[in-house]
């Protein structure tokens, strides 16, 4: 706890960005912001090793505020430099604790305003378990959307997923958990798994939810998802999470920079 607070104060906490690719034109459409702790002796520490603990202590509220402000600021620079249509987006993870934080709505509206972000390009990712069985939180989600954020349901398909959540929760985007892409011993995705995924993608699209698949690790994964009607993919096949400066290089490499800067 003390180490983590100290890490925040001494700029050891960083945000990495993992590209999210649009299948229709293979262009980078946006990024997911992911926390990293650059520890002076232990090297780069992944969120699995400090997020759960910070949720218990409440430090996640401070960490989450940092992630939101930094990601929104980086996005505003990219949107100004790369004038793409549709504009780049950034997705920031939000824990249940942050959703319950009374100061969060003000933080969000202030962040969106200050950075003059294009409408709907700041996305908040929330897991199903963070909002399940809590009607107050559903109402809170509706208000967050009213403040200009888009909402993504993270890790859909893990834990107690329920299809009624498609109907009842105000999400714009569904992120399919990487477990959907798990292959059998022969390297193929089973026929039943194929049908389940196809049905979920079809249902999501019929309900006007955008579908992002997580854990895309191969060209086969990407081709298969695209054939099922999935719109976006994220995973090591496209890129691991990148430092902010590598992110800039990545955008420039994947878009026509001349077109982006001539306007
Ligand atoms: P997540 O939001 O589901 O993020 C996706 C995770 O999958 C990331 O792990 C990412 O590095 C990993 N990943 C990406 N592509 C692939 C792939 O092709 N294959 C596989 N096997 N994994 C892939 P990461 O960065 O370690 O983050 C883990 C979790 O920590 C995130 O899961 C998210 O729940 C949480 N987290 C990260 N940053 C924040 C934050 O700012 N706030 C909160 N509340 N949670 C965060
Ligand atoms: Mg996420
Ligand atoms: Mg996820």
């Amino acid at each position: 706890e003390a180490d983590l607070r100290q890490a925040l104060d001494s700029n050891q906490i960083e945000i990495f960005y993992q590209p999210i690719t649009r299948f229709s034109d293979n262009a980078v459409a946006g990024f997911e912001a992911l926390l990293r702790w650059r520890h002076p002796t232990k090297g780069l520490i992944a969120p699995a090793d400090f997020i759960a603990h910070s949720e218990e202590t409440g430090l996640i509220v401070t960490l989450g505020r940092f992630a939101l402000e930094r990601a929104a600021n980086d996005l505003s620079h990219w949107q100004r430099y790369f004038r793409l249509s549709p504009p780049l987006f950034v997705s920031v993870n939000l824990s249940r604790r942050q959703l319950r934080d009374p100061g969060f709505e003000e933080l969000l509206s202030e962040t969106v305003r200050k950075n003059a972000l294009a409408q709907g390009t700041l996305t908040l990712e929330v897991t199903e378990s963070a909002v399940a069985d809590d009607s107050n939180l559903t109402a809170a989600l509706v208000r967050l959307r009213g403040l200009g954020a888009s909402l993504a349901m993270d890790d859909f398909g893990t834990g107690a997923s329920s299809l009624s959540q498609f109907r009842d929760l105000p999400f714009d985007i569904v992120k399919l958990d990487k477990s959907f892409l798990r292959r059998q011993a022969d390297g193929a995705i089973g026929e039943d798994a194929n049908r389940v995924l196809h049905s979920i993608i079809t249902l999501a699209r019929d309900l006007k939810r955008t579908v992002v698949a997580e854990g895309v690790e191969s060209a086969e994964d990407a081709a298969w998802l695209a054939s099922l009607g999935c719109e976006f993919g994220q995973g090591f096949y496209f890129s691991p999470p990148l430092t902010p400066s590598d992110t800039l290089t990545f955008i420039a490499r994947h878009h026509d920079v001349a077109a982006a800067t001539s306007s």
Side-chain angles (χ1 to χ4, degrees):
E1 167 81 12
D3 279 1
L4 195 51
R5 276 184 197 282
Q6 152 93 52
L8 256 170
D9 291 341
S10 50
N11 300 321
Q12 290 171 20
I13 304 297
E14 300 179 13
I15 309 290
F16 276 40
Y17 295 99
Q18 186 173 34
I20 297 176
T21 299
R22 188 167 44 233
F23 287 125
S24 64
D25 59 358
N26 278 320
V28 56
F31 297 88
E32 177 172 3
L34 295 160
L35 281 167
R36 294 288 182 270
W37 179 355
R38 198 178 291 279
H39 194 280
T41 55
K42 293 177 187 148
L44 209 56
I45 303 180
D49 294 329
F50 61 91
I51 294 271
H53 181 70
S54 71
E55 267 163 15
E56 278 163 34
T57 62
L59 192 59
I60 189 67
V61 172
T62 311
L63 276 174
R65 168 183 286 260
F66 168 79
L68 183 77
E69 290 182 324
R70 180 61 63 83
N73 190 252
D74 286 340
L75 177 62
S76 76
H77 288 121
W78 302 334
Q79 286 184 350
R80 249 171 274 153
Y81 190 70
F82 302 99
R83 296 185 176 274
L84 305 173
S85 175
L88 290 166
F89 64 84
V90 159
S91 221
V92 180
N93 292 284
L94 202 66
S95 75
R96 191 179 177 97
R97 188 100 178 213
Q98 286 174 275
L99 264 177
R100 292 220 167 107
D101 172 29
F104 186 75
E105 287 175 35
E106 197 185 328
L107 169 69
L108 178 67
S109 62
E110 182 59 16
T111 305
V112 170
R113 192 195 56 75
K114 202 167 58 190
N115 291 290
L117 299 176
Q119 172 66 27
T121 55
L122 181 62
T123 299
L124 302 173
E125 291 192 9
V126 186
T127 59
E128 307 172 72
S129 56
V131 283
D133 330 312
D134 189 334
S135 53
N136 293 333
L137 288 186
T138 314
L141 289 178
V142 174
R143 288 197 301 277
L144 297 182
R145 221 195 207 167
L147 297 173
S150 295
L151 300 177
M153 185 189 286
D154 203 357
D155 303 341
F156 184 81
T158 56
S161 295
S162 145
L163 291 180
S164 64
Q165 285 171 346
F166 270 110
R167 183 192 61 207
D168 299 338
L169 295 176
F171 285 98
D172 308 283
I173 299 158
V174 178
K175 296 194 78 175
L176 301 177
D177 189 70
K178 47 183 163 274
S179 57
F180 281 111
L181 293 174
R182 206 173 290 138
R183 286 166 186 278
Q184 297 175 319
D186 60 3
I189 307 241
E191 250 182 59
D192 286 352
N194 192 32
R195 287 201 188 96
V196 168
L197 190 54
H198 187 205
S199 300
I200 292 176
I201 291 172
T202 305
L203 175 66
R205 295 200 59 182
D206 284 350
L207 294 171
K208 307 279 184 287
R209 272 36 164 204
T210 300
V211 186
V212 179
E214 304 188 297
V216 181
E217 294 187 354
S218 66
E220 296 81 63
D221 287 346
W224 180 57
L225 287 160
S227 77
L228 294 180
C230 181
E231 294 150 282
F232 297 94
Q234 172 183 352
F236 300 147
Y237 170 62
F238 298 113
S239 169
L242 304 169
T243 63
S245 77
D246 286 346
T247 302
L248 258 182
T249 312
F250 190 92
I251 305 171
R253 199 152 34 88
H254 287 258
H255 284 285
D256 182 351
V257 181
T261 51
S262 63
S263 51

